[in-house]
Amino acid sequence: MGHDVDFIEINKTITDIIDEHILVCSPDGQIIFSNKILQNSLGYDDIELKQKKFVEIIEDIHLNKAETFIKDASECVSLPEEFLFNGKHCMIKLHVKILRKNNLLYVYGNEKYAEYERVKNRLDTEIKNAIKIHERSLPGNLPDTENISFASLYIPAQDLGGDLFDVFKVDNGLLNDYFDQYVCFVADVSGHGLDSAMLAIFVKDTINSYFRHKHIPGQVLSPKEIMNFFLEEYTKEGYPTEYLVCIFFAVFDLKTKELTYCNAGFHMCPILVVDKDNIIELNEGYFPVSTAIDIELYNYKDHSIKLLPDMTLVIMSDGLPEQRCRNEYYEGRMKKLIKNIYNLQPEHMVKKIHEDFNDFIKYEKINDDITLVVAKLSQY
């Protein structure tokens, strides 16, 4: 290398500049090394500390705990323990860990460990609660009637996902006998963490709010109007510009035999299968919802298709077709599979796609949240 390197001096310098209090002791607790930050905190110099044992710098109320701490040291790093250290002029509270290695005891830590643990535990609790909230926002049982049936698959990329979907029959109150309408939507919020999951829940709550406060029983349902309502509410909230919300919203009207839909940002188009030779990608799409886009540019539209017996609609977030493995995207393989299994019932289609997807990725980690909803009409 061209230079004589003093590794002992390098190691000593490192221990002096890191934000940790460090002691090295013999097996009986005799101090043989201390770093600068510990010396400065206790007010002792290196020589003074080398004349003491670990228990001699511990406050009396923690002596028994200190002796056990030394005795139980192993080659596995211990959990943090709180001790009051007796300094030359004052006491300090530190949370330290211990490690036994090569017949030496390494004691290290700082006053921040307890705060780190509190923050970590609080975040863990909040995330667990958020997971429960998000899971409860997903539908339990999807409609399965003699005229139409639905099935779904949901796989978050992390503990929390930014995808969300729902399927429900529209409540028209006293007019229910005259209407048979089903709403199905899939939402994909950018990202897949705590913030995305909470924003996805906002999507569902806002759509539910439309049906509670805006929808009039017997009124013609317009996905475009629902999207405009969501856009207005989202804009009022002033969400940061870095978020994008993509929504595909569909209404199945079994009385008028019409499928009406609006696509806000789904670039992986839903697939409508009439028969083996008539497979349509619903590629009419518009901007995703985002405060980064001038609201004047939005111009959502409804699109309608006549419902036919045995027709199948497959809606997926981009996490499924865009999953990549061995330089191949799943999209092409998925479309071929759908063409071969479209005549199955939705739950069997979903199962086949899930099995094939697992075979495709093997043991690879999924890159994005995955949502799949399949709707199928009966042979009425």
Side-chain angles (χ1 to χ4, degrees):
M1 293 176 57
H3 300 282
D4 292 329
V5 179
D6 188 342
F7 288 103
I8 294 177
E9 184 60 29
I10 289 175
N11 289 332
K12 185 177 183 304
T13 301
I14 291 172
T15 59
D16 283 342
I17 63 176
I18 62 175
D19 188 23
E20 293 279 346
H21 296 75
I22 299 175
L23 281 175
V24 181
C25 304
S26 63
D28 63 354
Q30 181 66 47
I31 298 172
I32 60 176
F33 173 82
S34 60
N35 69 340
K36 284 290 186 186
I37 189 170
L38 183 71
Q39 295 168 21
N40 293 338
S41 296
L42 296 180
Y44 294 115
D45 61 29
D46 180 52
I47 295 175
E48 288 173 317
L49 282 172
K50 284 179 178 177
Q51 295 171 358
K52 298 179 181 292
K53 287 189 174 184
F54 176 72
V55 294
E56 293 174 354
I57 58 172
I58 300 298
E59 178 63 20
D60 290 346
I61 61 172
H62 287 161
L63 278 181
N64 290 338
K65 185 166 70 168
E67 290 170 355
T68 303
F69 187 65
I70 293 290
K71 184 179 70 174
D72 292 345
S74 71
E75 293 185 357
C76 295
V77 177
S78 71
L79 294 173
E81 288 280 0
E82 180 183 274
F83 290 103
L84 283 174
F85 285 76
N86 276 319
K88 184 178 286 188
H89 307 294
C90 63
M91 287 188 300
I92 65 168
K93 182 190 295 182
L94 294 177
H95 290 77
V96 294
K97 302 178 183 180
I98 191 168
L99 168 70
R100 183 185 295 273
K101 187 174 182 181
N102 296 330
N103 212 30
L104 291 175
L105 301 175
Y106 294 82
V107 180
Y108 61 98
N110 58 48
E111 70 279 6
K112 298 176 184 175
Y113 274 164
E115 184 62 24
Y116 291 158
E117 288 297 315
R118 281 194 292 270
V119 171
K120 181 180 180 299
N121 291 336
R122 187 177 73 246
L123 288 176
D124 287 345
T125 300
E126 289 177 356
I127 290 173
K128 286 177 183 177
N129 290 337
I131 290 172
K132 291 178 183 177
I133 293 170
H134 188 263
E135 287 175 346
R136 288 172 184 166
S137 71
L138 297 171
N141 298 316
L142 302 186
D144 184 6
T145 72
E146 61 181 9
N147 294 324
I148 191 169
S149 56
F150 297 85
S152 65
L153 172 68
Y154 172 70
I155 308 173
Q158 298 177 3
D159 291 335
L160 279 164
D163 283 7
L164 193 139
F165 69 97
D166 201 2
V167 181
F168 57 89
K169 184 175 183 179
V170 178
D171 183 7
N172 283 288
L174 297 176
L175 300 175
N176 271 335
D177 290 343
Y178 303 97
F179 292 88
D180 198 7
Q181 299 167 316
Y182 292 85
V183 162
C184 173
F185 70 86
V186 176
D188 183 356
V189 178
S190 55
H192 33 260
L194 179 59
D195 53 344
S196 299
M198 295 301 98
L199 184 49
I201 291 172
F202 170 79
V203 174
K204 181 173 181 177
D205 287 346
T206 303
I207 291 173
N208 287 343
S209 174
Y210 177 88
F211 282 91
R212 285 195 305 269
H213 305 298
K214 292 286 187 179
H215 175 62
I216 301 172
Q219 180 187 44
V220 174
L221 271 179
S222 167
K224 173 190 71 175
E225 289 185 12
I226 297 169
M227 281 307 311
N228 284 333
F229 174 78
F230 175 76
L231 174 62
E232 180 181 346
E233 295 301 307
Y234 184 90
T235 304
K236 285 180 184 176
E237 292 295 326
Y239 284 104
T241 56
E242 58 264 30
Y243 291 108
L244 295 174
V245 181
C246 302
I247 304 176
F248 182 85
F249 199 100
V251 176
F252 295 83
D253 193 322
L254 303 188
K255 290 290 188 181
T256 63
K257 294 181 171 52
E258 192 172 44
L259 167 67
T260 307
Y261 65 91
C262 181
N263 182 351
F266 263 64
H267 66 279
M268 286 297 170
C269 306
I271 299 171
L272 186 67
V273 184
V274 180
D275 54 50
K276 193 170 185 178
D277 300 316
N278 194 0
I279 299 176
I280 306 166
E281 291 191 12
L282 306 183
N283 55 13
E284 298 90 353
Y286 305 94
F287 290 129
V289 175
S290 172
T291 53
I293 301 173
D294 188 338
I295 198 167
E296 298 297 326
L297 296 176
Y298 285 97
N299 185 27
Y300 292 126
K301 287 182 169 56
D302 285 336
H303 299 274
S304 297
I305 292 177
K306 193 71 176 174
L307 291 175
L308 298 172
D310 249 2
M311 183 179 276
T312 302
L313 178 63
V314 181
I315 311 168
M316 79 292 294
S317 61
D318 57 9
L320 183 64
E322 290 185 347
Q323 177 67 40
R324 190 171 180 176
C325 186
R326 298 179 294 278
N327 295 320
E328 178 187 357
Y329 290 102
Y330 185 62
E331 181 181 5
R333 178 166 164 165
M334 178 193 70
K335 288 180 178 178
K336 289 178 183 177
L337 178 62
I338 290 172
K339 187 174 181 180
N340 292 328
I341 65 172
Y342 76 93
N343 57 333
L344 298 178
Q345 288 301 306
E347 62 178 309
H348 299 304
M349 283 188 67
V350 167
K351 183 179 179 182
K352 289 284 187 184
I353 293 172
H354 193 189
E355 290 173 349
D356 185 68
F357 179 75
N358 286 337
D359 179 67
F360 171 76
I361 63 172
K362 301 298 182 187
Y363 301 105
E364 293 284 335
K365 182 180 178 181
I366 64 171
N367 302 323
D368 196 3
D369 303 326
I370 290 172
T371 299
L372 171 69
V373 178
V374 177
K376 190 174 185 65
L377 298 173
S378 65
Q379 299 178 353
Y380 62 85

